[in-house]
Amino acid sequence: MSASVKIDGISKTYKKGTPVLLPLNLEINAGELFFLLGPSGCGKSTLLRIIAGLLEPSEGRIFFDGRDITALPPEQRHAAMVFQNYALWPHLSVFENVAFGLRAVKLPEKEIKAKVTEALQLVRMADFADRRVPSLSGGQQQRVALARAVAVSPQVLLLDEPLSNLDAKLRDEMRMEISRICHERKLTAIYVTHDRREALSMGDRIALLDKGVIQQLGSPVELYRKPRNRFAAGFLGGVNFISCTIENRNGADWAKTGFGEFRMENGTGGKKSGTVLIRPEAVTLAHERDTENVFTAEFVSGTFLGERSELQFKTADGMMLDVTASAYEIFSPGKPCRLKIDPRDLILLED
Ligand code: ADP
């Protein structure tokens, strides 16, 4: 059965080093596909290895379903791990690789066969049971690694950058597969990645880490649409940061910027000035009839990328604004354009 995971004041300092995890609290629900997302070196793998029992924390405790497992060795935690490099045994067949953890706990042969077959069916590798690992593609090897982890019915599944070694097309395919398997089996899964697309497309929730601190915790949509600070905004997508002062008039909040006044619907927490985030795709061409939140800017340059284009505009106060649009040919350098920003797309940041 899948367990909930509670991380209570976990910190880590490697010998003679600076802390890589500051005391950190997190609660992960049973059956949740939970992401630890952040740049390289922020402490994600350290935290995952502490949860797995491969590394001792400096302080704090870990609970599975309310049970303190901090002192237990890895094999007694009922957690299974999937690694970036698959960690399969090349001299064993696919079947024997998946059976390995089951043999270790001395299950009867009949039960092993049933569980391995079921796990291989789950990852759509049943036809490969007799194959040797080196004859499989990277994607197939990752499926076998996943089957091996799932076969032991872990209380918690831990995944450390599992797709990093795959090419882009296989990665997309495996993202959907891992989501399907986790949700079908109602697995509690903790997934480490530096790839925002993986976290945004698969995660039930994401903890965004930087320098050993959780910068923000929430659903993919919350993190993308309502980032708290510049780091979260920039890590999850394209950004324009605009300085503004804020006025409240007739019950509405207005951000006064160097190139216009914009009504904003996301609240200001009583702040009188600050930085607003405007995502590149939140700026669109205004219709003739639009009057609110409209401004004029000069098209400077653009890159055509097929389904979308990345454009740069210069605002009246000389600021460069990044805009993502589906149109391209209608713009020519130096041409003034009427653009608009939806009031829901201006986000006042904390810093
Ligand atoms: P991430 O998974 O986010 O890339 P890690 O948890 O692997 O980050 O590493 C966090 C920091 O801890 C990095 O600065 C890394 O160099 C350091 N670190 C990781 N493992 C060790 C170790 N065994 N000894 C000393 N420092 C380490």
Side-chain angles (χ1 to χ4, degrees):
M1 275 301 285
S2 296
S4 62
V5 177
K6 184 173 171 189
I7 294 163
D8 184 14
I10 288 287
S11 70
K12 180 70 185 174
T13 303
Y14 288 102
K15 270 190 199 107
K16 292 187 209 134
T18 46
V20 297
L21 287 177
L22 297 172
L24 190 146
N25 299 305
L26 259 182
E27 293 199 36
I28 296 158
N29 303 316
E32 192 171 26
L33 177 45
F34 190 91
F35 273 75
L36 298 172
L37 173 69
S40 180
C42 73
K44 310 178 291 290
S45 301
T46 298
L47 181 57
L48 200 72
R49 276 156 52 212
I50 290 172
I51 299 169
L54 302 171
L55 196 65
E56 252 186 67
S58 301
E59 306 169 281
R61 317 212 69 78
I62 309 251
F63 299 85
F64 284 1
D65 266 349
R67 210 162 51 95
D68 187 344
I69 53 115
T70 320
L72 290 185
E75 63 277 11
Q76 287 176 27
R77 294 191 176 197
H78 303 291
M81 190 124 165
V82 176
F83 297 93
Q84 181 177 342
N85 61 2
Y86 324 130
L88 297 170
W89 285 278
H91 58 288
L92 296 181
S93 67
V94 165
F95 184 97
E96 286 305 326
N97 265 282
V98 177
F100 198 87
L102 302 167
R103 291 209 195 287
V105 293
K106 302 198 169 46
L107 280 192
E109 197 55 38
K110 209 169 136 199
E111 230 175 287
I112 291 178
K113 181 143 194 354
K115 281 183 185 283
V116 172
T117 306
E118 200 211 339
L120 285 175
Q121 276 166 353
L122 185 71
V123 301
R124 306 189 209 276
M125 287 293 287
D127 293 344
F128 295 80
D130 297 328
R131 289 273 288 269
R132 293 272 157 152
V133 169
S135 72
L136 303 177
S137 70
Q140 289 169 333
Q141 291 189 33
Q142 194 53 286
R143 283 172 192 264
V144 176
L146 205 57
R148 182 179 59 185
V150 172
V152 297
S153 306
Q155 287 194 328
V156 181
L157 178 66
L158 306 171
L159 303 116
D160 193 0
E161 304 263 5
L163 305 183
S164 310
N165 285 348
L166 302 178
D167 64 45
K169 191 163 171 291
L170 259 178
R171 263 206 307 271
D172 287 350
E173 189 185 308
M174 284 306 290
R175 272 184 208 164
M176 299 191 19
E177 282 291 276
I178 293 177
S179 289
R180 174 184 67 80
I181 289 163
C182 289
H183 287 126
E184 246 177 67
R185 285 287 186 105
K186 298 192 171 54
L187 291 169
T188 306
I190 306 179
Y191 189 126
V192 158
T193 186
H194 64 273
D195 183 339
R196 68 187 174 94
R197 288 199 171 79
E198 248 164 68
L200 289 174
S201 63
M202 297 170 67
D204 292 323
R205 279 191 307 153
I206 302 171
L208 177 64
L209 270 83
D210 189 36
K211 301 189 179 78
V213 174
I214 297 176
Q215 299 287 329
Q216 195 163 357
L217 174 68
S219 71
V221 173
E222 278 164 0
L223 259 68
Y224 188 82
R225 298 231 185 275
K226 306 242 167 96
R228 275 178 48 202
N229 54 28
R230 282 177 188 244
F231 170 78
F235 198 81
L236 289 158
V239 290
N240 294 288
F241 294 129
I242 318 281
S243 300
C244 66
T245 55
I246 292 160
E247 256 184 45
N248 188 279
R249 287 201 308 269
N250 310 326
D253 293 315
W254 294 83
K256 294 178 81 168
T257 76
F259 58 94
E261 273 190 19
F262 301 94
R263 190 165 68 79
M264 44 195 301
E265 286 185 0
N266 278 306
T268 61
K271 285 179 89 170
K272 295 286 171 235
S273 65
T275 302
V276 281
L277 161 71
I278 300 169
R279 295 260 186 226
E281 72 277 14
V283 182
T284 53
L285 278 175
H287 294 293
E288 269 173 41
R289 62 175 185 279
D290 289 328
T291 52
E292 189 184 77
N293 282 18
V294 170
F295 65 105
T296 303
E298 184 183 298
F299 177 71
V300 177
S301 63
T303 309
F304 177 68
L305 294 167
E307 74 278 15
R308 67 191 164 88
S309 297
E310 288 175 358
L311 315 174
Q312 284 79 45
F313 285 85
K314 192 154 108 189
T315 60
D317 60 339
M319 225 197 91
M320 295 303 283
L321 202 63
D322 286 334
V323 175
T324 306
S326 52
Y328 184 74
E329 290 85 348
I330 57 169
F331 299 106
S332 52
K335 184 178 163 188
C337 298
R338 281 181 85 234
L339 303 172
K340 68 171 174 179
I341 306 167
D342 191 300
R344 289 167 298 187
D345 289 328
L346 290 119
I347 311 294
L348 188 67
L349 301 173
E350 284 177 10
D351 55 5

